[in-house]
Amino acid sequence: MFSYRNKESCIIFYKRKIEVNNGTYFLRVCSQSFLCKFISIVFLHYKTTVMNSRRDFLQKIAAATIAVPFSSQVTTACKANNKSYDGPALRVAIMGLGSYGTRVAEAMRDCKDAKLVGVISGHPEKISAWQSRYNIPVKNCYNYENFDNVKDNPDIDAVYVITPNGLHHDEVIRVAKAGKHVICEKPMALNAKQGQEMVNACKKANVRLLVGYRMHFEPKTLEVIRMRKAGEFGKILFFQGLSGFVIGDPTQWRLNKELAGGGALMDIGIYSINGSRYMTGEEPLWVTAQETKTDPVKFKEGVDETIQFQLGFPSGAVASCLSTYSMNNLDSFFLNGSQGFAEMQPATGYGPIMGHTHKGELAQPVVTHQTVQMDEMSAIILQGKQPVVPVDGEEALKDLRIIDAIYEACRSGKKINLNL
Ligand code: NDP
């Protein structure tokens, strides 16, 4: 049996077998096309960004999911969606051609309802590389000074903002004012005040604001949500979320208060915050939190290293979560009810997501999260589709209110009431 808890399990992942229900699936060791794709992605990543341990973490968990090497388990976005939509694709420009922007762009190659058509970047050499790689016309290329001109471009429907957190607020508002739909990466903003301004600006401009909550489209996650809604766990009593990794390079923007807005909580702890909501199906009423710091040089004032927080829900259910930049192997969710449980590990990495419930292994298909997300977001924006779990600005605003309250609880040592 594949051990979730084995530290090296993800690295040697595709050499191992995974047992899914009663069937055993052997993961193919690198087909030729997988190797080509993988090498080119790694090349692009090294070209565009500095290696950091967050990416290491997510990639170890991912075990090269973007390369889609698993014949029997992998279902592309389109198969997973079971779509019949035949209309136009959502034409997207990516802003910020960094690590995650690159991952999204690669995943979008397999989209049926979304297409990468433009870029916004501060680096002309990246723009040229992306133009040739993704066949992007020069008229769809912008920099941070001139991207407001996207308003005059009828060939771009939406801009996907994938820049450091501290830039999201102004960039999203500028895109909205240019009359384009916006997809923004998590965390949507640095705090709820900024988030509210972004929501208001998009409403005023009559454009959609969606946030990159890729787990809201992940099949095993959706199965747990389905089971919970069907009452299969009984009364929900407890959620535990563990989210963390050891962060590397001390000079990266993720450790810069202005650009990151905080530390681990903004970046990785948000998965446990958001997860506690979609796993329990409730909005928390209160929060308590405690911060610990072992390295005040690396984690300066306002940049949190480790925070434990607790949430209380209207039903009486409680959540206990850990967010950290100083511990590896933390990516797990546990949901406990009066009649059953669900345990997921990895719970939020790029995949494969793995888990089981009191009824057995979760055997839903492995998908490339960003491919499914972008096809689904196309359907949300162009066809008004309602996702099972919301991915709009209001949803992100709730996480930001909880984040504000967690920081307040750390500062004051008090229990903070929430009104989401
Ligand atoms: P990177 O540092 O790898 O890339 C960010 C890009 O933003 C840069 O390459 C650069 O692109 C652009 N940029 C503009 N201004 C700045 C600046 N002052 N400093 C640094 N970069 C700048 O970050 P990630 O791609 O890892 O993260 C970007 C966003 O995506 C974050 O909000 C993060 O939380 C989110 N994210 C979400 C994930 C998910 O699973 N949903 C996973 C990883 C990240 P250019 O040179 O083209 O201008």
Side-chain angles (χ1 to χ4, degrees), residues 41-244:
I41 290 164
V42 168
F43 174 70
L44 205 63
H45 276 207
Y46 269 92
K47 242 183 109 179
T48 52
T49 58
V50 178
M51 189 73 179
N52 66 42
S53 55
R54 180 180 196 279
R55 190 171 338 125
D56 284 350
F57 161 81
L58 287 166
Q59 283 178 338
K60 280 174 190 167
I61 292 170
T65 301
I66 44 176
V68 193
F70 325 119
S71 60
S72 52
Q73 267 207 37
V74 169
T75 306
T76 64
C78 310
K79 285 181 213 154
N81 289 348
N82 200 14
K83 297 180 289 82
S84 55
Y85 177 61
D86 209 16
L90 183 74
R91 297 163 305 171
V92 178
I94 290 184
M95 180 188 296
L97 314 183
S99 168
Y100 196 63
T102 302
R103 182 173 288 272
V104 170
E106 286 301 310
M108 285 184 73
R109 287 176 181 279
D110 292 327
C111 282
K112 284 286 186 290
D113 295 339
K115 188 169 164 32
L116 174 62
V117 298
V119 288
I120 299 157
S121 170
H123 290 92
E125 68 281 8
K126 283 193 199 173
I127 294 182
S128 314
W130 279 54
Q131 274 192 271
S132 27
R133 186 169 178 81
Y134 302 107
N135 199 18
I136 293 169
V138 68
K139 69 177 183 56
N140 290 356
C141 298
Y142 299 88
N143 58 39
Y144 297 108
E145 282 73 49
N146 69 14
F147 75 79
D148 311 85
N149 295 339
V150 76
K151 71 176 184 306
D152 300 318
N153 191 329
D155 298 328
I156 293 175
D157 302 312
V159 173
Y160 193 162
V161 175
I162 317 186
T163 54
N165 313 338
L167 307 177
H168 294 175
H169 171 265
D170 291 2
E171 290 168 347
V172 164
I173 291 176
R174 281 173 66 187
V175 172
K177 284 185 175 162
K180 301 296 177 181
H181 300 295
V182 204
I183 303 170
C184 178
E185 256 317 313
K186 45 61 52 180
M188 182 171 77
L190 301 189
N191 50 52
K193 179 177 176 292
Q194 280 195 349
Q196 186 68 65
E197 288 167 2
M198 293 156 80
V199 167
N200 294 347
C202 290
K203 263 189 199 143
K204 190 172 170 197
N206 200 23
V207 296
R208 294 300 305 269
L209 169 57
L210 305 184
V211 178
Y213 287 121
R214 59 188 162 76
M215 300 316 299
H216 294 198
F217 306 107
E218 194 283 318
K220 293 184 179 73
T221 304
L222 289 174
E223 171 60 9
V224 173
I225 291 168
R226 186 203 63 73
M227 289 178 70
R228 187 251 301 149
K229 283 182 173 172
E232 294 179 33
F233 302 121
K235 180 174 158 48
I236 298 299
L237 302 170
F238 176 67
F239 170 79
Q240 182 191 50
L242 306 178
S243 302

Side-chain angles (χ1 to χ4, degrees), residues 15-34:
K15 294 181 191 157
R16 305 279 302 266
K17 65 178 183 179
I18 295 176
E19 289 176 357
V20 180
N21 276 351
N22 298 322
T24 300
Y25 297 95
F26 287 89
L27 301 179
R28 276 194 199 152
V29 181
C30 302
S31 71
Q32 225 177 359
S33 64
F34 161 57

